Amino acid sequence: MKLLFLSMGAASLLALASCSKNSSADQNTNGQAKVQMMLTDAPATYDAIFLDVKSVSINNSTNDAGWVNYPLDPKFSAPINILDYRNGTVIAMGDPLILPPGKIEQIRLILGDNNKVVIGGVEHALTVPSGSTSGYKINFHKELAPDGVYKIWLDFDAARSVHAAGKSGKYMLNPVVKAFSEETNGQFRGYVKPLEAKPWLYALKGVDTVGSAIPATDGFFHFVGLPDGAYALRIDADSTSGYRDTTINNINVVFGKVTDIGTVTLTK
């Protein structure tokens, strides 16, 4: 039986990655900090999802102006297909931004109106709910150290962000973007077979679902941005496939390592 998640958890919108200091490439910051943003995606069954990213900004508490705009790479001047960046593949959203040391309190993502999903070769407009023009905000507290170099990962969960609006034939976009940092960038990966089971995968920590994905065409899956701890992998087979759902428990995730769970083969 498939699970469907439609809500956007504010605490899971954006993330900052850890600070690395004193590398030769990142010296001469004159006591300032550097922050760079990256974008990745949790896979979904759609042909493509084009996101119209208009801006990303950071609220640095030491800046009287409040919001500081992050300069996006020119490639974001047109909608990008987020599904090109799956299973650990990332795209840099721009060059590092220099900020004064101090706290980051919030980050804001603003999408335009030209968002689309392609299903079965047919393109559909994605409607962003009213009230989203001010952007999606997250209260995220991070201390920027002098001369620190940081990264931000936006992990867009495509499967949980797009859904059909009843029988209208329209599709809604409610962005679900997971927050993680290198301090919490535990990972596990593996393969699931056979693909004729049309499996959906969910990473669980206790009773909480912390990520979802579908496998690639070779069955590969890769969950990232996980805090240390024990996880379970829930695999839901399509109810029409005849294959059984299964759960793999006690997956140990440790910071700085990728836990490989091998191949999970579903049975009928």
Side-chain angles (χ1 to χ4, degrees), residues 50 52 81 93 98 100 133 139 207 213 216 237 254 267:
F50 293 97
D52 184 16
N81 181 10
M93 300 187 76
I98 294 178
T133 54
N139 292 322
V207 298
V254 179
T267 60

Side-chain angles (χ1 to χ4, degrees), residues 23-42:
S23 68
S24 60
D26 294 306
Q27 292 177 353
N28 303 319
T29 55
N30 295 319
Q32 302 287 78
K34 286 185 177 181
V35 175
Q36 185 176 28
M37 290 186 157
M38 315 295 287
L39 186 64
T40 188
D41 172 55

Side-chain angles (χ1 to χ4, degrees), residues 163-194:
H163 62 96
K167 298 180 180 180
S168 67
K170 296 182 179 180
Y171 287 84
M172 304 295 295
L173 176 63
N174 289 295
V176 176
V177 188
K178 186 176 69 173
F180 70 91
S181 68
E182 286 201 357
E183 288 98 336
T184 58
N185 192 14
Q187 307 177 40
F188 74 84
R189 67 187 181 190
Y191 291 83
V192 61
K193 296 181 179 181

